Amino acid sequence: MTPFHKMHGLGNDFVVVDERAERYGLTPARIAALADRHRGIGCDQFVVLQPATRDGADVLVRFFNADGTEAGACGNASRCVAALLWRQEGRRETVLQTRAGLLPARVDDAGVVTVDMGRPALDWRDVPLARAADTLHLPLAGDPAAASMGNPHATFFLDDMLDLDPVVAGPLLEHDPLFPERANIGFAHVRSRTELRLRVWERGSGLTLACGSGACAAVVNAVRRGLVERTCTVGMDGGALSVSWRAQDDPGEGGHVLMTGPATVSFVGTFDPEGYPS
Ligand SMILES: N[C@H](CCC[C@H](N)C(=O)O)C(=O)O
């Protein structure tokens, strides 16, 4: 049997499996079956811990969406992994090795987690887009902006959150040919110079209660457009994150995006991988 932790960050929920000591034969098909909310455990993303392979990293973290596809970043799950390592190993500060790079994380006395999500990528090639375009104003109806936090995000800025329904517009935009690797689609409303409202249709998982990398991308894109200050509260259906895009000349974290918020263990359990299609 394979042990797991069921966790969430503001309701964006995860199954976390630790493969640092043993591999469990987790194929994309098996992951998708385990992520299924009726036939499996159910989660937005499936998170696998493996031994770090880079100097300076404490753990390699891989993120898989509910459809079994692997993503380069997952902000909410990154906070959850940092919180789990704190609970299990007593380490407040850890470095997560992800496809987006090495992400330093810190758990404070109240159990609130800050992850340095690194620098956003703003060039069309790095989002990526299928052709050259201004990532501040994509050639799409609704004039979204795009940025990568190690995963692709398009952010729409709405006068009213009801102007676009994420459940209707999200899947069409996720699969737009402009996004060769698909995209996470953010629907944002600027409440003030320091507050955004956001809903995200996530690539490979659909509408989630919160999206950490999406909150980071939304703040980056809003700052680029001059809509907000560099430190913002991002309110999502599941709750709020604090996101700060450090100025380029900031000592130590210049140009990095810091994301702060909660991480929760819901329960622990076990499953038999052989009981799921490989
Ligand atoms: N669906 C995303 C991965 C999870 C992102 C989200 N759960 C977060 O907290 O950042 C993608 O395919 O890039």
Side-chain angles (χ1 to χ4, degrees):
M1 298 297 275
T2 303
F4 68 88
H5 281 79
K6 184 69 174 39
M7 300 187 75
H8 73 89
L10 301 177
N12 180 203
D13 67 329
F14 314 108
V15 169
V16 183
V17 171
D18 191 340
E19 283 198 330
R20 287 179 291 178
E22 179 183 354
R23 295 292 171 102
Y24 297 106
L26 294 168
T27 63
R30 192 161 276 168
I31 284 172
L34 285 159
D36 185 288
R37 293 194 184 281
H38 300 285
R39 301 178 184 84
I41 303 167
C43 59
D44 290 328
Q45 277 85 34
F46 196 99
V47 182
V48 180
L49 309 185
Q50 293 178 341
T53 59
R54 289 182 57 186
D55 290 345
D58 295 303
V59 61
L60 169 62
V61 188
R62 300 179 66 186
F63 310 108
F64 297 86
N65 289 310
D67 66 358
T69 58
E70 186 164 4
C74 182
N76 287 320
S78 296
R79 292 198 320 278
C80 285
V81 170
L84 189 59
L85 294 182
W86 157 235
R87 284 167 67 108
Q88 291 180 332
E89 302 168 14
R91 279 194 296 200
R92 285 199 180 282
E93 308 216 349
T94 49
V95 177
L96 311 180
Q97 177 185 340
T98 72
R99 277 171 48 179
L102 298 189
L103 309 184
R106 182 180 69 253
V107 183
D108 73 13
D109 294 343
V112 177
V113 188
T114 295
V115 177
D116 177 343
M117 296 288 285
R119 290 187 175 85
L122 306 178
D123 183 86
W124 67 272
R125 301 168 188 83
D126 301 321
V127 173
L129 302 181
R131 60 185 184 276
D134 174 5
T135 61
L136 197 49
H137 295 280
L138 295 185
L140 289 176
D143 182 34
S148 171
M149 294 304 304
N151 58 346
H153 288 272
T155 309
F156 288 78
F157 291 99
L158 308 178
D159 294 331
D160 185 308
M161 289 300 281
L162 298 178
D163 288 349
L164 273 178
D165 182 346
V167 175
V168 173
L172 298 173
L173 290 159
E174 173 191 355
H175 294 274
D176 191 284
L178 184 61
F179 306 119
E181 295 178 8
R182 300 184 288 160
N184 300 283
I185 311 298
F187 302 87
H189 171 68
V190 178
R191 280 184 161 162
S192 75
R193 294 285 304 170
T194 58
E195 193 178 358
L196 286 175
R197 176 78 172 91
L198 178 71
R199 303 184 83 196
V200 182
W201 175 270
E202 286 200 28
R203 173 180 65 168
S205 294
L207 183 64
T208 58
L209 291 175
C211 180
S213 58
C216 294
V219 170
V220 165
N221 287 327
V223 169
R224 294 168 73 200
R225 289 207 173 167
L227 300 174
V228 297
E229 302 304 321
R230 302 188 75 93
T231 297
C232 276
T233 298
V234 182
M236 295 169 279
D237 293 351
L241 292 176
S242 175
V243 175
S244 180
W245 183 19
R246 294 288 200 250
Q248 280 301 340
D249 60 359
D250 185 293
E253 295 151 341
H256 289 215
V257 182
L258 302 185
M259 171 201 59
T260 300
T264 307
V265 175
S266 302
F267 58 86
V268 297
T270 61
F271 65 87
D272 175 3
E274 298 306 317
Y276 295 84
S278 63

